[in-house]
């Protein structure tokens, strides 16, 4: 089963890269009401508490993509979602 990743809307290159690596990727704005259905969340970090996600709206891993390449985020996801 593919792992589902919610990615913030401004990170199209991240969405495309993760999708090409086999993840089921969808927009964070589409998923925000069902974050528990996602395996992880990727945010841009422009707002350190985007939509309250860091305040335990979900127990899912939240990856801050600030300064990271799509490959860096992919590697981090692989480690988190074994």
């Amino acid at each position: 089963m593919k792992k589902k990743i919610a990615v913030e809307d401004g990170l199209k290159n991240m969405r495309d890269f993760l999708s090409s690596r086999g993840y089921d990727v969808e927009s964070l704005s589409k998923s925000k009401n069902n974050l528990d259905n996602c395996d992880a969340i990727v945010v841009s970090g422009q707002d350190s508490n985007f939509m309250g996600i860091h305040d335990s709206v979900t127990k899912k891993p939240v990856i801050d993509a600030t300064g990271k390449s799509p490959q860096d985020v992919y590697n981090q996801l692989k480690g988190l979602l074994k």
Side-chain angles (χ1 to χ4, degrees):
M1 178 190 258
K2 285 184 173 183
K3 299 289 186 178
K4 184 184 271 189
I5 311 298
V7 178
E8 190 175 333
D9 293 339
L11 299 172
K12 181 178 176 359
N13 65 332
M14 197 70 65
R15 277 198 319 265
D16 294 345
F17 185 87
L18 295 174
S19 181
S20 74
R21 297 303 188 272
Y23 288 104
D24 180 10
V25 181
E26 65 179 49
S27 166
L28 179 57
S29 61
K30 180 181 174 186
S31 301
K32 68 182 175 183
N33 294 325
N34 282 323
L35 291 175
D36 287 332
N37 292 334
C38 296
D39 295 295
I41 301 154
V42 179
V43 297
S44 70
Q46 291 181 1
D47 180 347
S48 63
N49 190 17
F50 185 76
M51 295 185 342
I53 290 172
H54 290 163
D55 289 339
S56 64
V57 167
T58 182
K59 301 268 190 246
K60 304 302 178 174
V62 177
I63 297 174
D64 180 352
T66 304
K68 295 178 181 161
S69 70
Q71 182 69 49
D72 293 337
V73 172
Y74 171 71
N75 291 341
Q76 192 169 354
L77 282 169
K78 281 189 351 185
L80 290 170
L81 303 177
K82 292 181 183 180

